[in-house]
Amino acid sequence: MKWLFACCVAAVLSAAVAGNTERFLGTLEPKSAKVGYDSLRVNSEIDHREVEALGQKCGQFIEAHPDSEVVYELPTGVIEFHAVGVKPKVCQNAGAWKYIVAIDGETVFTSKELQYYDGAQVTIVVAVPKGAKTLTLITRASHDYDA
């Protein structure tokens, strides 16, 4: 099953589940969500501008402005989590941030700040251990800039 996630700071996150079914993460209600500005938004254009990931319009995404922490309960059978963390065009002159993924409270992925990646986007792939209960998506602003 695939899941998708995005932020302003935008990210397309997907998680594969046994059987190769795909599903957008935004179809799940978060267990908890806190964002640094505004509110958690799903598939909502940022300032009326489209979000792009890997050179294509991103039709399904979650926006969580840094500093953010969004916790999802994992459905049974999730085996892998995929993401593309993106700095949307509307945010190109904004500050710097990084993406962090935790499973059951343990950090399993931490990106560099997005400006250090070609195109200000990073691909995230994380194996999800059998029996994992929660997936936490985190954005952290750099101390050098405001996001």
Side-chain angles (χ1 to χ4, degrees):
M1 184 174 296
K2 280 195 173 181
W3 307 86
L4 305 175
F5 166 81
C7 302
C8 170
V9 279
V12 178
L13 303 171
S14 50
V17 176
N20 293 324
T21 313
E22 295 185 6
R23 185 171 172 192
F24 173 50
L25 183 61
T27 62
L28 294 179
E29 188 68 31
K31 183 176 179 179
S32 65
K34 60 181 177 178
V35 297
Y37 174 77
D38 202 6
S39 60
L40 182 70
R41 296 190 286 179
V42 178
N43 299 333
S44 178
E45 291 180 347
I46 301 167
D47 294 335
H48 306 291
R49 298 180 194 166
E50 295 176 349
V51 173
E52 291 184 10
L54 302 176
Q56 298 180 12
K57 179 182 175 187
C58 182
Q60 294 184 308
F61 62 92
I62 298 169
E63 176 193 356
H65 194 285
D67 286 340
S68 68
E69 188 166 312
V70 185
V71 180
Y72 291 92
E73 289 188 30
L74 286 170
T76 303
V78 175
I79 58 173
E80 194 171 68
F81 181 79
H82 303 262
V84 178
V86 180
K87 189 171 189 176
K89 290 179 182 176
V90 67
C91 299
Q92 289 302 311
N93 294 324
W97 58 85
K98 60 184 170 183
Y99 289 99
I100 302 166
V101 178
I103 297 175
D104 292 339
E106 182 181 330
T107 299
V108 294
F109 176 86
T110 303
S111 74
K112 298 180 283 188
E113 293 170 349
L114 285 180
Q115 73 267 26
Y116 296 112
Y117 293 97
D118 192 30
Q121 50 191 350
V122 58
T123 299
I124 303 165
V125 179
V126 175
V128 176
K130 187 174 183 178
K133 302 292 184 204
T134 62
L135 175 72
T136 306
L137 307 175
I138 302 164
T139 61
R140 288 289 178 259
S142 167
H143 295 291
D144 299 331
Y145 303 92
D146 276 334

